[in-house]
Amino acid sequence: MSIKHSKLQPHILIVDDDLTNRKVLEYKLKKNFKTTSAKSGQEAIDLVQKMQFDLILMDLQMPGISGIEATNIIRNKHLFNKKIIAVTGHSFDSDFYANHGFDDVLLKPIDFNKLESFLYHFLE
């Protein structure tokens, strides 16, 4: 049975220092996904040690521990072995994301019409 048709909603960690960005993603995903939000890289690191997630949406630029640093810590300490998607308004070479532990990138502004199919691609 694929995750898309499972009765259990995939659990997504949304990491972004901007409250509006977090709330919009939560709102757009609430129908088909369980979400938990973190406002910093450090909070994301703490949460992946306490809770189970199916995927992480990680903003790159945050004060303190950036999304890049948080992803490196999460990967290097083997805290999370599933997909981490970079969420950013900056387009870099695809090798940049892979070299920093990301599985793909979701560029801002987010196309919400394609968001769910994009996420399900990584969850199946």
Side-chain angles (χ1 to χ4, degrees):
M1 177 185 320
S2 74
I3 291 175
K4 189 172 186 176
H5 302 294
S6 171
K7 292 183 181 185
L8 296 176
Q9 291 182 318
H11 192 183
I12 297 177
L13 175 59
I14 299 167
V15 187
D16 198 312
D17 61 312
D18 184 278
L19 177 62
T20 302
N21 290 344
R22 289 193 313 271
K23 292 296 182 189
V24 168
L25 277 169
E26 288 172 359
Y27 176 77
K28 294 293 187 179
L29 296 175
K30 72 180 179 180
K31 180 179 177 186
N32 294 311
F33 302 92
K34 178 180 178 183
T35 61
T36 298
S37 292
K39 63 181 181 241
S40 69
Q42 183 61 58
E43 188 176 359
I45 293 165
D46 294 342
L47 283 170
V48 297
Q49 294 178 83
K50 297 175 189 173
M51 301 175 72
Q52 295 292 321
F53 298 100
D54 297 299
L55 185 138
I56 297 174
L57 295 175
M58 181 78 73
D59 183 35
L60 294 187
Q61 295 183 318
M62 295 181 285
I65 296 178
S66 71
I68 294 169
E69 293 169 307
T71 298
N72 285 331
I73 291 167
I74 289 167
R75 294 293 197 206
N76 291 336
K77 291 187 176 184
H78 306 286
L79 302 175
F80 186 79
N81 63 356
K82 297 178 184 172
K83 305 296 183 185
I84 301 178
I85 308 300
V87 181
T88 183
H90 304 286
S91 180
F92 297 104
D93 181 279
S94 61
D95 288 341
F96 172 87
Y97 301 104
N99 291 337
H100 287 89
F102 295 100
D103 295 285
D104 206 334
V105 61
L106 187 59
L107 291 175
K108 295 177 186 176
I110 295 170
D111 181 348
F112 290 107
N113 294 320
K114 297 179 182 177
L115 179 61
E116 284 193 23
S117 62
F118 177 84
L119 295 177
Y120 278 124
H121 168 77
F122 291 103
L123 292 167
E124 292 184 340

